[in-house]
């Protein structure tokens, strides 16, 4: 059974009081991850891996944790359309798609809400994310305050470029950085209006990124180049990736906000 989950980009965030979720603003993107889940058979034992990524065996902790939580003996073959470790929520998309596909493949009868929670807990346990799966389940532009999440129907095109990865596990474990994130993320959330445009979120995201002192020189220069062309740009959280709206042909990769959430295929 196959399932697809869109990638997601977080413009700004802050951890909730319990540290297990996040508040902030994120949006789903049309590119994502397909998970093909089937029973783990004796012939699979030679690969010594329950997960493959574009055909290659790999260790993918949150996916493995989700399969364990669902209590199934399965393998998940992942086909990826987004960069890994560069702020596109790849681990969340892979884990959510795997949970949806496993539920259908094995007839588990879990509700969508339960499967999202399984994927979320797997991400928290692995230290790879705090809220990506909620955005990927809903689709569109998602703004949350830690208690409620609102999804706005957006389909804006955007461009992006990735220069490198930032280890989410290390960022979430950096106490000084997380203290800045908590302060500035709450301020960014307060600054948003009731019906924010993607450009508004991007603009506030760039203020947030600079306030927590995360952008590299290359990121700063690329944001400036997009702004010089009349666009609005910022940095994906957490990755050395610049995304821009209101531009055409400025950055090498193009996608769009995905208005729909994860689904079976």
């Amino acid at each position: 059974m196959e399932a697809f989950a869109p990638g997601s980009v977080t413009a700004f965030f802050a951890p909730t009081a319990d540290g297990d979720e996040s508040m902030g603003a994120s949006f789903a993107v049309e590119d994502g991850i397909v998970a093909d889940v089937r029973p783990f058979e004796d012939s699979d034992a030679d690969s010594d891996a329950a997960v493959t990524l574009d055909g290659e065996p790999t260790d993918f902790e949150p996916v493995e944790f989700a399969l364990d939580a669902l209590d199934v003996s399965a393998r998940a073959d992942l086909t990826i359309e987004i960069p890994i470790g560069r702020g596109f929520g790849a681990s969340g998309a892979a884990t959510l798609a795997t949970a949806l596909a496993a539920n259908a493949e094995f007839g588990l009868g879990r509700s969508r809400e339960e499967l999202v929670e399984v994927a979320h807990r797997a991400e928290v346990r692995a230290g790879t994310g705090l809220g990506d799966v909620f955005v990927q389940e809903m689709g569109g532009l998602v703004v949350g305050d830690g208690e409620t999440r609102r999804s706005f129907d957006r389909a804006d095109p955007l461009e992006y470029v990735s220069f490198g990865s930032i280890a989410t596990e290390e960022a979430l474990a950096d106490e000084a950085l997380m203290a800045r994130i908590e302060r500035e993320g709450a301020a960014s959330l307060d600054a948003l209006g009731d019906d924010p445009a993607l450009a508004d979120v991007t603009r506030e995201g760039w203020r947030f990124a600079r306030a927590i002192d995360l952008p590299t020189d290359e990121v700063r220069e690329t944001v400036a180049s997009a702004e010089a062309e009349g666009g609005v740009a910022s940095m994906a959280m957490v990755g050395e990736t610049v995304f821009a709206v209101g531009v055409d042909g400025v950055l090498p990769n193009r996608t769009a906000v995905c208005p729909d959430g994860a689904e079976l295929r």
Side-chain angles (χ1 to χ4, degrees):
M1 179 64 67
E2 289 187 353
F4 168 81
S8 60
V9 173
T10 295
F12 61 83
F13 73 102
T16 54
D18 61 12
D20 284 346
E21 292 188 21
S22 65
M23 55 184 177
S26 307
F27 53 88
V29 295
E30 288 183 340
D31 309 310
I33 292 181
V34 174
D36 183 3
V37 177
R38 60 180 174 82
F40 196 91
E41 300 173 350
D42 291 341
S43 60
D44 295 324
D46 293 338
S47 70
D48 196 33
V51 183
T52 66
L53 183 63
D54 286 340
E56 296 296 324
T58 186
D59 293 324
F60 213 126
E61 274 195 340
V63 170
E64 294 162 12
F65 290 159
L67 292 174
D68 287 344
L70 293 172
D71 194 25
V72 294
S73 178
R75 64 173 296 136
D77 298 315
L78 307 175
T79 302
I80 189 163
E81 304 168 349
I82 48 177
I84 294 180
R86 301 192 177 192
F88 283 88
S91 61
T95 306
L96 179 58
T98 295
L100 292 176
N103 182 65
E105 176 68 24
F106 292 93
L108 302 179
R110 300 287 191 98
S111 69
R112 188 175 177 92
E113 182 178 39
E114 289 173 324
L115 296 170
V116 171
E117 186 64 19
V118 164
H120 171 62
R121 292 299 168 191
E123 275 242 275
V124 171
R125 180 182 171 189
T128 52
L130 290 176
D132 291 328
V133 298
F134 299 113
V135 179
Q136 294 158 350
E137 186 273 331
M138 298 176 75
L141 169 63
V142 178
V143 178
D145 61 6
E147 295 183 1
T148 60
R149 296 180 186 87
R150 295 178 295 157
S151 178
F152 299 90
D153 188 9
R154 304 285 186 262
D156 304 59
L158 62 136
E159 296 182 350
Y160 68 91
V161 62
S162 295
F163 301 112
S165 62
I166 296 175
T168 303
E169 301 95 321
E170 294 179 11
L172 295 180
D174 185 328
E175 293 184 2
L177 174 60
M178 290 306 293
R180 295 197 301 272
I181 286 173
E182 184 174 359
R183 180 182 66 250
E184 299 298 339
S188 289
L189 190 61
D190 288 342
L192 280 189
D194 292 334
D195 189 22
L198 188 60
D200 299 330
V201 171
T202 303
R203 190 175 294 108
E204 189 55 42
W206 186 230
R207 187 211 66 80
F208 169 83
R210 288 176 293 170
I212 65 173
D213 196 27
L214 206 56
T216 61
D217 289 344
E218 196 164 24
V219 165
R220 291 176 184 273
E221 291 168 3
T222 304
V223 168
S225 68
E227 291 176 340
E229 295 295 326
V232 182
S234 187
M235 178 182 184
M237 298 290 138
V238 181
E240 198 179 353
T241 294
V242 173
F243 67 93
V245 296
V247 295
D248 187 3
V250 174
L251 302 181
N253 304 292
R254 192 168 180 86
T255 185
V257 178
C258 180
D260 303 313
E263 61 184 6
L264 293 174
R265 285 192 167 177

